[in-house]
Amino acid sequence: MKKFFFLLLPLSSFAQYWQQEVNYTISVTLDDKNHMLRANEQFVYINHSPQALSEIYMHLWPNAYRNSKTALAQQLKRIGDDKIGKAKPADLGWIDSLDFKANGQAVKWEYDAQNQDIAIIHLNQTLQPGEQVVITTPFLVKIPSGEISRMGHIGQSYQITQWYPKPAVYDKNGWNPIPYLNQGEFYSEFGSFDVSITLPKNYIVGATGDLQTASEVAFMDQQVALTAQRMEGYIKDQGKDKLKSFPESASEFKTIRYTQSQVHDFAWFADKRYGVLKGEVKLPNSKRAVTSWALFTPQNAVLWKNAIEYINDGTYYYSLWNGDYPYNQVTAVDGTISAGGGMEYPNVTVIGNASSKMELEIVIVHEVGHNWFYGILGSNERVHGWMDEGMNTLNEMRYVQTKYPNNTQFSDMIAGGRFHMNDLDHHDSGDIMYRTLASFGLDQPLETHSDLYSSMNYGAIMYQKTGLVFFYLMDYIGQEKFNQLMSAYFETWKFKHPQPEDMRQVLEKASGKDLSWLFVDLIQTTRTIDYKVKGVQEAQSGTTVNLSIKGQVNGPIGVSLLQNGQVLETKWAEPGQTNLSFLTPLSKIDKVVIDNGNNIPELNRQNNTWAKNQVLHKVEPLRFEWLTGDHEKGKSTLFWTPMIGGNAYDGFMAGVTLHNIGFAPKKFTYLISPMLSTSRLRPAGIAEFSYQILPTKAFELIRLGLSVKSFGQELGSKNCFVAYSPYLMMNLGSRKIRRPLHQEILLQGIYRQDFAFGTPNAEWGGFAQHVLNYRKSAYQLNWTNRFEMYKSSAESISRIWTNLAQTFTYSVGKFDRHIELNMFGGYTLNYNLNGIDPSNRFNWGLNGINGSQDLFLEDYYFGRKATTGLWAQQTMERHGQFHTGNNAGNNLNWLTTATVYAQLPIKPNILGVFADYGFASGAAQSVDMYYNAGVGIRFGKVFGLYLPLVNSSNMGDLYTNYMSHVRFTLRINPVNRLSLHSLLNS
């Protein structure tokens, strides 16, 4: 048996490729009064697999809109958009009235236990290899609101997608039943469609396939002529309601028929208002003519008037670079869809609202391009989304660069081009998105299941990074050779289901190169690229450039020799090669540049240039720019901006901020903000320095940093403090999948000098902190545990505390509101005080901490030493967190509290109620109990005002001096441990 097993194992790897086939005949009627579809379906399922099948998994995707328990509803809720949970019954959708039969005989079928939009048909007879079965069923579809996802209606504008019972793919991995999702697309079997649609006569339809009804062909040509006559009026009447209203539906119905083979889906779109444009594109290889259609709503005529140009150009270039479009027509339809800017189907794509002609063109070209990457090359989009969206984004980048070589779209998008980023084009927009996420350790591998991506990575990584890394490959092997590779991939796998290994095999064979640096390092991991010019030497034969690999990817390195900005010679170092010899002598060049076109997605490009005419050849010249921007290669940019501030002791402060925090931040970042105190006539300010490391295992991000602060600390005095806070922050975990649990370890110290009349008094300390964050759509947990030590020349203290904060989301009607429950416990391990500290700075604070209790200077205060009065605002994120109260309950020994704050389900979302309860160490080892309750006004987490209505007697008479119990909080901490990682994971 063992010998037999090992004999079969190598043979199985060379097994013949196979795929199933499904051929559909569907008749459907649109009921536009009740927004229903009434239909009958027949499909022939042909088993080309080597296995016998006793069941067929079916997709019933309209059921994704049925209720709040579906996978789609849960995904939308997870990203904070509970459209289905809050939808009116009339806006939901479903499919029913099913009666499956196989070869005319009733069969047993059932819904999947986990997903309402998946069913299993149990065949009466096993379907043997090479056999076929005919499945029939009627079905009824309630069309949901188009505000929810891709399928739906807005008024009487219909987007009929993922609408019919469809078998799941059965491939070498077995059955692939997948619920419908917004984030994460589809995987379907190839076959043919014969679809007849019955609807009122005045509807205009765009659909998959070739229109077979002669009267409808004439009707569409008539609409083209009418649109040409009306276009000027459409443009003149832009914005008027008459262009948006629906005409009455015709009383007569028509039946129109479409047929198409070698596709894996069928979609159609119907609207009585459509303007119709018609064109033709000649394919670059076969010279065959393809008809192009654009269907637009009149209110969008200004943007859509050139849509045929966009469709034709996209079809032409995708054919040129990959392989000729195999169908007879290509259509783009104007529609309001909830799921993104556009959505693709074979032969036809629906486009969402666009803000400019350029945006519309890019979306149309991208969606038309999906006819290749999803349509013809039918990869599993749910599991390998980069093979679809990413490869399509590559072609989109090529299209914009080819047609608009001088485009500055990205610069124009950012504040109208005011951030001096005119060097950035469409390709660079994706580059900035990827490098920014990767710089903060937030990126995920390309080879990630679509539903396991964070929303941010789904767009920036799966789309943009894939485009970038294959653009890198194209730059490496040359455009002509790259076109040959993509054509080989297209011809080998068109109308099939390629897997990543299939694509790699074709590209490596066609290129003759080992592409593991691409298919392993850049696709399967989050390893980063960083190449460096190590040195330049003159040799007898010319110039030798020495290279080093500073990053985690050992890929090819393109090096160019320049003179006066002109490229004299370019060569590529193969993976692992660390030097290149050029024929051009050193005397003829003034610059050596890695990746002169910025086509390699490196995180650090500041080590890519060697300049002959600089004393320090590898040090970039300094350049000043206002506010922020990108880090251009060959220049060391110092950003600057005016800075103002103020507090009780320094009064008004003014100065300047100097920093290098730009788009796609560097490993080493700094921010220095010196200011002049008008009250003390002394310097004040802050500074932040940090260096971050992106490990490949165990940690998402490691950051080493130093914070510096100096401000006044007494009214009417020149006294001040200077504090230095070194820290090590570590984000634990792997970036491979989106997950609800995040952990952070922070080790932070402080060295502080207080200057009173020129006499310094030094203090120092530190803490170790662990934070655990758990986030689900309706529940969040933050658990912080900390050990602290602090010491001055005469005093010392050590203590521990834990804080558990939980947020529950509840819904009332359309309102989502939060209930926050917080539990705190703190205990002083030991202390040595020089008498009684008048500021009580080492006390546990029942209602948070004031400035003097902020031992590690983690927050900013208008009056750091104030314990009463206007400037004594407190920070609630630490210690007891009672919402109101005076200094009652503050003590040195121990404290435990439980507090709750509930937002009220009214507008605006700023009002809430609170209740607090706690115990504290009292006199003579007694235990004191405290409570209060009241109402609050909050603006996010920045500002809060809390008004007590009741409190325990030991907190003082509430109404004797009411204002002493009122509490306001202000949370401003813009730079300490400045981290997009923390912000985006909060």
Side-chain angles (χ1 to χ4, degrees), residues 65-97:
Y65 304 87
R66 181 178 286 275
N67 55 44
S68 61
K69 297 179 181 180
T70 67
L72 172 63
Q74 293 301 308
Q75 186 187 71
L76 290 172
K77 190 174 182 180
R78 187 188 77 221
I79 62 176
D81 193 1
D82 190 16
K83 293 178 181 177
I84 294 179
K86 295 180 179 179
K88 300 175 182 177
D91 291 335
L92 297 175
W94 36 257
I95 182 171
D96 66 7
S97 304

Side-chain angles (χ1 to χ4, degrees), residues 542-555:
T543 301
T544 298
V545 179
N546 296 316
L547 308 165
S548 64
I549 299 170
K550 308 297 288 184
Q552 301 152 342
V553 176
N554 184 0

Side-chain angles (χ1 to χ4, degrees), residues 223-296:
Q223 296 305 309
V224 173
L226 287 172
T227 300
Q229 296 173 16
R230 296 169 178 170
M231 183 65 80
E232 185 176 340
Y234 289 158
I235 294 173
K236 181 180 178 181
D237 291 334
Q238 287 297 287
K240 295 183 179 179
D241 289 340
K242 67 179 182 179
L243 295 183
K244 302 177 184 179
S245 60
F246 292 94
E248 289 292 324
S249 295
S251 58
E252 292 184 65
F253 281 68
K254 62 183 176 182
T255 298
I256 55 181
R257 178 170 171 249
Y258 294 88
T259 62
Q260 185 61 63
S261 61
Q262 294 185 313
V263 292
H264 55 66
D265 202 0
F266 187 98
W268 55 284
F269 305 88
D271 195 313
K272 293 171 287 188
R273 304 166 300 170
Y274 279 146
V276 182
L277 303 174
K278 184 179 181 181
E280 184 177 277
V281 55
K282 186 173 288 187
L283 302 179
N285 301 306
S286 67
K287 309 303 178 185
R288 186 171 60 86
V290 171
T291 303
S292 50
W293 296 90
L295 279 56
F296 65 93

Side-chain angles (χ1 to χ4, degrees), residues 444-497:
Q444 294 173 262
L446 288 176
E447 184 59 30
T448 297
H449 190 287
S450 293
D451 192 38
L452 297 179
Y453 271 117
S454 68
S455 299
M456 188 169 45
N457 277 292
Y458 188 73
I461 300 302
M462 191 178 74
Y463 285 66
Q464 302 301 330
K465 183 183 177 182
T466 309
L468 296 170
V469 299
F470 278 90
F471 209 100
Y472 175 15
L473 174 64
M474 181 178 67
D475 197 36
Y476 165 45
I477 65 174
Q479 290 198 31
E480 184 176 345
K481 183 68 174 177
F482 185 78
N483 291 347
Q484 294 173 10
L485 266 62
M486 296 311 298
S487 295
Y489 174 49
F490 177 83
E491 291 299 329
T492 304
W493 286 99
K494 63 183 179 182
F495 312 125
K496 297 177 183 176
H497 298 308

Side-chain angles (χ1 to χ4, degrees), residues 468-482 485 511-518 554-559 570-577 595 599-600:
L468 296 170
V469 299
F470 278 90
F471 209 100
Y472 175 15
L473 174 64
M474 181 178 67
D475 197 36
Y476 165 45
I477 65 174
Q479 290 198 31
E480 184 176 345
K481 183 68 174 177
F482 185 78
L485 266 62
S511 67
K513 295 182 180 295
D514 179 357
L515 300 179
S516 57
W517 58 271
L518 172 64
N554 184 0
I557 310 172
V559 180
T570 297
K571 284 189 175 183
W572 282 84
E574 295 297 327
Q577 185 179 350
D595 184 28
N599 294 326
I600 301 176

Side-chain angles (χ1 to χ4, degrees), residues 196-475:
S196 297
I197 303 169
T198 301
L199 72 176
K201 288 185 69 172
N202 57 337
Y203 272 95
I204 298 163
V205 176
T208 297
D210 297 333
L211 179 59
Q212 302 295 331
T213 307
S215 59
E216 188 68 10
V217 172
F219 174 76
M220 290 297 289
D221 286 337
Q222 181 185 29
Q223 296 305 309
V224 173
L226 287 172
T227 300
Q229 296 173 16
R230 296 169 178 170
M231 183 65 80
E232 185 176 340
Y234 289 158
I235 294 173
K236 181 180 178 181
D237 291 334
Q238 287 297 287
K240 295 183 179 179
D241 289 340
K242 67 179 182 179
L243 295 183
K244 302 177 184 179
S245 60
F246 292 94
E248 289 292 324
S249 295
S251 58
E252 292 184 65
F253 281 68
K254 62 183 176 182
T255 298
I256 55 181
R257 178 170 171 249
Y258 294 88
T259 62
Q260 185 61 63
S261 61
Q262 294 185 313
V263 292
H264 55 66
D265 202 0
F266 187 98
W268 55 284
F269 305 88
D271 195 313
K272 293 171 287 188
R273 304 166 300 170
Y274 279 146
V276 182
L277 303 174
K278 184 179 181 181
E280 184 177 277
V281 55
K282 186 173 288 187
L283 302 179
N285 301 306
S286 67
K287 309 303 178 185
R288 186 171 60 86
V290 171
T291 303
S292 50
W293 296 90
L295 279 56
F296 65 93
T297 52
Q299 69 264 27
N300 291 326
V302 171
L303 295 182
W304 277 76
K305 64 180 181 180
N306 297 320
I308 291 295
E309 174 197 330
Y310 311 151
I311 298 168
N312 289 351
D313 287 350
T315 304
Y316 178 87
Y317 282 113
Y318 273 75
S319 296
L320 178 67
W321 297 327
N322 302 286
D324 273 0
Y325 184 74
Y327 310 114
N328 296 322
Q329 65 93 5
V330 55
T331 301
V333 176
D334 176 15
T336 303
I337 62 171
S338 174
M343 187 60 203
E344 68 278 0
Y345 303 92
N347 306 153
V348 62
T349 179
V350 59
I351 309 298
N353 291 327
S355 60
S356 68
K357 291 181 180 179
M358 187 68 180
E359 180 184 337
L360 178 64
E361 178 172 7
I362 290 173
V363 174
I364 285 179
V365 168
H366 180 95
E367 302 306 334
V368 166
H370 274 301
N371 280 286
W372 283 261
F373 300 98
Y374 145 90
I376 303 164
L377 297 163
S379 55
N380 187 339
E381 299 179 83
R382 186 64 58 88
V383 180
H384 312 296
W386 64 269
M387 297 182 71
D388 156 56
E389 295 294 355
M391 296 306 299
N392 195 28
T393 300
L394 163 72
N395 283 269
E396 172 198 316
M397 289 176 176
R398 293 189 71 183
Y399 175 90
V400 176
Q401 187 180 72
T402 301
K403 188 172 179 181
Y404 304 104
N406 298 317
N407 83 89
T408 57
Q409 182 206 14
F410 184 67
S411 174
D412 295 340
M413 287 168 56
I414 306 297
R418 293 181 178 87
F419 282 174
H420 37 75
M421 291 189 291
N422 54 305
D423 58 307
L424 302 180
D425 60 17
H426 183 70
H427 167 278
D428 297 325
S429 66
D431 182 63
I432 288 286
M433 290 169 66
Y434 157 65
R435 292 194 298 123
T436 297
L437 284 180
S439 294
F440 289 105
L442 291 168
D443 58 320
Q444 294 173 262
L446 288 176
E447 184 59 30
T448 297
H449 190 287
S450 293
D451 192 38
L452 297 179
Y453 271 117
S454 68
S455 299
M456 188 169 45
N457 277 292
Y458 188 73
I461 300 302
M462 191 178 74
Y463 285 66
Q464 302 301 330
K465 183 183 177 182
T466 309
L468 296 170
V469 299
F470 278 90
F471 209 100
Y472 175 15
L473 174 64
M474 181 178 67
D475 197 36

Side-chain angles (χ1 to χ4, degrees), residues 519-530:
F519 282 94
V520 177
D521 289 349
L522 295 180
I523 289 177
Q524 296 181 26
T525 77
T526 56
R527 295 171 188 161
T528 57
I529 306 171
D530 185 7

Side-chain angles (χ1 to χ4, degrees), residues 598-748:
N598 290 343
N599 294 326
I600 301 176
E602 288 187 273
L603 291 198
N604 176 31
R605 291 181 175 144
Q606 286 12 90
N607 56 8
N608 285 5
T609 303
W610 179 93
K612 180 180 180 180
N613 298 326
Q614 293 174 194
V615 176
L616 301 175
H617 300 302
K618 293 182 288 182
V619 176
E620 300 171 325
L622 185 65
R623 183 181 66 172
F624 288 86
E625 284 188 354
W626 177 75
L627 196 56
T628 191
D630 64 311
H631 295 288
E632 292 185 48
K633 183 167 60 182
K635 300 171 183 176
S636 185
T637 306
L638 179 62
F639 302 112
W640 69 274
T641 183
M643 184 71 171
I644 60 173
N647 61 51
Y649 315 130
D650 288 298
F652 175 77
M653 295 181 291
V656 63
T657 294
L658 305 173
H659 68 92
N660 73 337
I661 303 171
F663 296 97
K666 297 182 179 183
K667 287 184 179 180
F668 175 72
T669 59
Y670 61 85
L671 182 148
I672 304 171
S673 187
M675 293 180 285
L676 178 66
S677 164
T678 57
S679 291
R680 297 187 299 112
L681 295 179
R682 292 289 190 274
I686 58 176
E688 176 79 13
F689 307 90
S690 69
Y691 183 84
Q692 61 185 27
I693 303 167
L694 297 172
T696 57
K697 296 180 180 179
F699 297 94
E700 294 178 339
L701 176 73
I702 297 175
R703 171 165 293 177
L704 291 163
L706 174 67
S707 297
V708 183
K709 297 183 178 73
S710 179
F711 294 103
Q713 59 178 351
E714 285 189 33
L715 283 171
S717 168
K718 298 189 184 301
N719 294 353
C720 68
F721 69 84
V722 179
Y724 306 89
S725 300
Y727 61 86
L728 170 63
M729 183 179 69
M730 297 173 286
N731 295 100
L732 281 67
S734 168
R735 305 198 296 272
K736 287 187 177 181
I737 61 172
R738 170 190 51 78
R739 63 193 190 285
L741 184 67
H742 293 267
Q743 297 186 74
E744 177 185 291
I745 293 175
L746 176 63
L747 306 176
Q748 181 165 320

